[in-house]
Amino acid sequence: MTAKMAASIVEHGEDAFRKLFKFYKRRNPPPDFSEVIHFSKPCNDKVFAYELNSTPISEGDVSKAGLRPVKDWRAFGLHGYPGFIFISNPFLPGSQQYWVKQCLKIYPQKPNVCNLDMHMSSVETENIWEKSIEVIRKKGCGKREPKTLLEKLRWVTLGYHYDWNSKTYSPDHYTPFPKELHSLSHKVAAACGFPGFNAEAGILNYYRSDSSLGIHVDESELDHTRPLFSFSFGQTAVFLLGGTKREDRPTAMFMNSGDIMVMSGPSRLLYHAVPCIVPAGNVLPPDLGQRLETEAQDDNLIQSVSEEDWDVCSWYLQTSRVNVTVRQVLASGQTFPSSQASHLSTDSCEKSEEGTQKNKKRKSESGYEHDT
């Protein structure tokens, strides 16, 4: 079935989103990606250039976060999706490596919370990186090694920790939000016309080559007037952006390493999903192979990654993708409802579309699927 045939099938009818999700999730035969929007070479009548505001932030400030001058960013919007902004890899050469290392080595550390905490003691998950790297370095030596904790990682929460069961945030479930990630988000927000954005919660999703993320809406934040920011690193994924109803046919687009998506205004509460990771044959995306051109200064947010650490990161990203979503939970001056309960759940978040015994899949806690 071609992409055009798939489009005709899902143009009308019940749950058009789910039908296109299944089309791109299919493995045999593989889907036709010819109608997926590629923002690095946009030639689709749905795409238009989006003008950002470079006035609020100096070139020096954005470079400290590993970003190019805002005037050089390539930003796009989509007709029919007001408030949606796509920024095609605005990172300086080599700077993505720092953010990847943070996602794999630093952010999974305690007191942050991850999916492994649901089934393991805090002692067992205390240092996922250190407990994984020795096994990872032995892989490929002919001996089959079991999966490391790093390979079993599916999600990590930062700041206000999301409760997957009640789908709420709580003032009792909070750890300090990473300053460098807050600064990065604040700078991107200012360039997109959202000054004063306060990063209060983060969800990191770790996708293996067989992972997907089910259809859902991010509506748990108490303030929906503030945008949601999504940062992608590693292998390319297909992202589906739909409407306010599951009957609305979604638009498919590629997310490449370094790309940033902004969901604001009317697009803030739209259905969306990730049906598949696009295999690249165990090859690292070219931008991730670049090292920092100059040595980072002490006041820079980003710092050089050691070759030892990057060997592990690059091995992981040859078959995987990391996505970071950053949210503001509360409006300025807003507080949590007094009845807000605090309890860490062992249940799943957004329910994946294909989690039945019939297709012999198993799910992790965050709505992912991966083959058994």
Side-chain angles (χ1 to χ4, degrees), residues 36-110:
V36 181
I37 294 173
H38 204 314
F39 286 99
S40 62
K41 40 188 175 185
C43 54
N44 189 297
D45 57 8
K46 277 191 175 184
V47 179
F48 63 91
Y50 190 96
E51 187 171 347
L52 299 172
N53 184 4
S54 61
T55 305
I57 29 181
S58 69
E59 292 187 12
D61 282 343
V62 291
S63 69
K64 290 177 182 178
L67 298 166
R68 304 176 193 271
V70 176
K71 63 181 177 59
D72 296 334
W73 295 8
R74 298 173 65 245
F76 306 94
L78 287 176
H79 291 295
Y81 296 94
F84 176 79
I85 307 169
F86 191 103
I87 304 171
S88 183
N89 187 14
F91 289 92
L92 288 166
S95 63
Q96 285 190 56
Q97 292 192 359
Y98 169 80
W99 295 108
V100 169
K101 186 209 71 174
Q102 296 298 101
C103 292
L104 295 179
K105 182 177 182 179
I106 306 302
Y107 297 153
Q109 292 181 1
K110 296 291 172 281

Side-chain angles (χ1 to χ4, degrees), residues 90-137:
F91 289 92
L92 288 166
S95 63
Q96 285 190 56
Q97 292 192 359
Y98 169 80
W99 295 108
V100 169
K101 186 209 71 174
Q102 296 298 101
C103 292
L104 295 179
K105 182 177 182 179
I106 306 302
Y107 297 153
Q109 292 181 1
K110 296 291 172 281
N112 298 328
V113 182
C114 71
N115 62 294
L116 301 177
D117 296 320
M118 306 298 103
H119 311 290
M120 302 172 68
S121 71
S122 58
V123 173
E124 292 175 294
T125 62
E126 188 172 0
N127 199 327
I128 291 172
W129 175 270
E130 292 299 330
K131 291 177 179 176
S132 301
I133 56 176
E134 289 307 316
V135 176
I136 287 174
R137 287 171 180 147

Side-chain angles (χ1 to χ4, degrees), residues 324-345:
V324 184
T325 55
V326 178
R327 308 114 186 277
Q328 179 170 329
V329 176
L330 301 167
S332 178
Q334 187 178 21
T335 58
F336 286 95
S338 58
S339 60
Q340 189 84 35
S342 171
H343 56 281
L344 192 60
S345 124

Side-chain angles (χ1 to χ4, degrees), residues 199-242:
E200 296 177 318
I203 299 178
L204 281 65
N205 292 327
Y206 299 82
Y207 295 80
R208 304 295 288 167
S209 59
D210 54 3
S211 298
S212 62
L213 182 62
I215 304 165
H216 67 283
V217 177
D218 292 302
E219 57 185 356
S220 298
E221 293 72 34
L222 276 67
D223 177 27
H224 296 148
T225 66
R226 308 302 284 169
L228 182 149
F229 296 93
S230 171
F231 303 88
S232 292
F233 303 106
Q235 295 298 313
T236 297
V238 172
F239 179 77
L240 297 179
L241 181 62

Side-chain angles (χ1 to χ4, degrees), residues 48-322:
F48 63 91
Y50 190 96
E51 187 171 347
L52 299 172
N53 184 4
S54 61
T55 305
I57 29 181
S58 69
E59 292 187 12
D61 282 343
V62 291
S63 69
K64 290 177 182 178
L67 298 166
R68 304 176 193 271
V70 176
K71 63 181 177 59
D72 296 334
W73 295 8
R74 298 173 65 245
F76 306 94
L78 287 176
H79 291 295
Y81 296 94
F84 176 79
I85 307 169
F86 191 103
I87 304 171
S88 183
N89 187 14
F91 289 92
L92 288 166
S95 63
Q96 285 190 56
Q97 292 192 359
Y98 169 80
W99 295 108
V100 169
K101 186 209 71 174
Q102 296 298 101
C103 292
L104 295 179
K105 182 177 182 179
I106 306 302
Y107 297 153
Q109 292 181 1
K110 296 291 172 281
N112 298 328
V113 182
C114 71
N115 62 294
L116 301 177
D117 296 320
M118 306 298 103
H119 311 290
M120 302 172 68
S121 71
S122 58
V123 173
E124 292 175 294
T125 62
E126 188 172 0
N127 199 327
I128 291 172
W129 175 270
E130 292 299 330
K131 291 177 179 176
S132 301
I133 56 176
E134 289 307 316
V135 176
I136 287 174
R137 287 171 180 147
K138 292 177 184 176
K139 286 180 180 284
C141 298
K143 184 179 178 182
R144 184 176 177 83
E145 299 286 351
K147 281 188 177 181
T148 63
L149 296 180
L150 193 60
E151 292 171 280
K152 294 178 180 179
L153 201 58
R154 291 295 176 266
W155 55 260
V156 167
T157 54
L158 311 171
Y160 288 115
H161 297 287
Y162 187 64
D163 186 318
W164 304 108
N165 188 35
S166 65
K167 293 181 169 54
T168 61
Y169 298 94
S170 164
D172 302 325
H173 249 120
Y174 177 82
T175 54
F177 193 89
K179 291 181 180 179
E180 69 282 357
L181 185 56
H182 182 285
S183 182
L184 172 68
S185 305
H186 188 272
K187 288 173 173 57
V188 174
C192 294
F194 303 104
F197 175 79
N198 187 24
E200 296 177 318
I203 299 178
L204 281 65
N205 292 327
Y206 299 82
Y207 295 80
R208 304 295 288 167
S209 59
D210 54 3
S211 298
S212 62
L213 182 62
I215 304 165
H216 67 283
V217 177
D218 292 302
E219 57 185 356
S220 298
E221 293 72 34
L222 276 67
D223 177 27
H224 296 148
T225 66
R226 308 302 284 169
L228 182 149
F229 296 93
S230 171
F231 303 88
S232 292
F233 303 106
Q235 295 298 313
T236 297
V238 172
F239 179 77
L240 297 179
L241 181 62
T244 57
K245 304 184 299 293
R246 292 171 68 107
E247 291 78 13
D248 298 329
R249 182 180 183 271
T251 296
M253 62 198 81
F254 287 120
M255 291 187 294
N256 298 309
S257 192
D259 290 343
I260 301 173
M261 292 193 308
V262 185
M263 296 176 72
S264 68
S267 80
R268 177 64 177 79
L269 296 174
L270 298 183
Y271 279 100
H272 54 279
V274 177
C276 66
I277 306 301
V278 182
N282 292 2
V283 177
L284 197 68
D287 289 338
L288 284 170
Q290 297 174 308
R291 305 290 289 179
L292 284 176
E293 293 180 346
T294 58
E295 191 63 32
Q297 302 299 312
D298 289 341
D299 61 344
N300 282 10
L301 293 178
I302 64 164
Q303 300 294 326
S304 298
V305 178
S306 71
E307 289 190 15
E308 184 179 43
D309 282 353
W310 185 245
D311 284 344
V312 176
C313 292
S314 60
W315 173 86
Y316 180 90
L317 290 183
Q318 286 177 15
T319 56
S320 304
R321 169 180 176 262
V322 180

